[in-house]
Amino acid sequence: MNLIFDAILGFVISFIGVALPGLINMTAVKVVLEKGLNRAFRFCLGACLTIFFQAWVAVAFATYLSKHEEVVAFLKGISVLVFIILAVVFYFQAIKPKAPSQDTKEGKPILLGMAIAAMNFLNVPFYLSAGTLLESEGYITIYFPIYFFFIGGLVLGSGAALLLYVYSAKWIAANAQFFARHLNYFLSGLFLLLAVFQIIQMNA
C-alpha cells in the first residue's frame, strides 16, 4: 500500500508541475495543432523519457541528501536565492514586449520531446526538492529499488498533464494571448511566495 501511495504522490506532484503553462506543454500544443495527434503523442513519449531520467537522477541524489542534513540546510539557503532570482526573471519577462514565436521544427517528434524536456532545467531541482522534503517527512521511501514507484508516478503525472494539453489544444490556442499575458506574472508571484515560505521554514 505504501508503494502505491509513493506512486500517487509522485503523480500528483508532477501533474501539478507540468500543468503550469510552460515551454514543454505549449510545444505539445503547437505540435498537435500543426502536425496532428499522432506526432503529438510521440512528442509526449519523448518528453516522458527525458523526465524519467531527470527524476531518477534527482531522486537518487535525494537518497544521499536524506543522510546529510547539513547539505540539505545549505541547499535550502541556496533555494531562497534561486526562487528570488526566478521571481525577478519572470517579472521582467512579463513586462517586456513579446517576440514572435518560432515555428516548430519538423524533425522526429520523440527526439523533439526529449530535447524540449531536457531544456527545462527546473525539473531536476524540482524533483530533488520534492523527493527530499517528502522523504524527510516520512511520506515516501527513496532507496533503491523502491524509489522507482515514486519515479513512475512522476513520469505518469507528467504524461497525463501533457495529454491534457494535447486534447485541449484548440481551446488553449483560442486563449493563448490571455495565458501569455498573465502567466509570467503568476510565476513571478509564485516563486516569490516560495522564497518567503522557505525563509519562514528555515527560521521556524
Side-chain angles (χ1 to χ4, degrees):
M1 184 62 185
N2 288 338
L3 300 181
I4 296 175
F5 186 66
D6 287 359
I8 292 174
L9 272 179
F11 182 95
V12 172
I13 290 169
S14 189
F15 183 88
I16 293 174
V18 177
L20 291 173
L23 177 63
I24 184 171
N25 39 41
M26 288 307 178
T27 303
V29 169
K30 193 172 183 64
V31 170
V32 70
L33 291 175
E34 295 182 354
K35 310 299 179 183
L37 274 176
N38 187 38
R39 282 182 173 271
F41 289 149
R42 284 184 281 165
F43 171 86
C44 294
L45 175 60
C48 287
L49 290 174
T50 295
I51 289 171
F52 171 81
F53 178 75
Q54 292 172 328
W56 174 60
V57 170
V59 174
F61 192 58
T63 304
Y64 166 82
L65 290 180
S66 67
K67 301 175 182 177
H68 297 80
E69 294 184 2
E70 69 284 359
V71 180
V72 175
F74 173 76
L75 289 178
K76 284 182 177 180
I78 294 296
S79 68
V80 173
L81 179 61
V82 172
F83 287 146
I84 292 174
I85 291 174
L86 289 172
V88 172
V89 168
F90 281 113
Y91 175 75
F92 280 107
Q93 285 185 355
I95 63 176
K96 75 177 182 180
K98 302 295 185 296
S101 59
Q102 300 294 323
D103 290 335
T104 304
K105 295 181 179 179
E106 183 70 26
K108 294 183 180 294
I110 291 180
L111 294 180
L112 178 63
M114 294 176 68
I116 295 296
M119 291 171 62
N120 187 356
F121 301 110
L122 290 178
N123 274 353
V124 173
F126 175 70
Y127 297 141
L128 174 61
S129 300
T132 303
L133 176 63
L134 291 174
E135 197 278 338
S136 65
E137 297 295 330
Y139 290 115
I140 64 171
T141 303
I142 53 172
Y143 61 82
F144 180 85
I146 301 301
Y147 58 49
F148 279 109
F149 283 88
F150 180 62
I151 293 172
L154 290 173
V155 175
L156 290 175
S158 298
L162 285 174
L163 288 177
L164 178 63
Y165 273 83
V166 166
Y167 285 111
S168 305
K170 292 183 178 180
W171 182 86
I172 292 172
N175 295 273
Q177 189 175 5
F178 173 84
F179 281 108
R181 191 184 310 121
H182 296 89
L183 171 63
N184 287 323
Y185 286 114
F186 171 78
L187 291 177
S188 177
L190 173 63
F191 282 116
L192 185 60
L193 285 176
L194 287 173
V196 172
F197 176 77
Q198 189 72 282
I199 293 172
I200 293 173
Q201 188 182 49
M202 291 171 63
N203 292 279

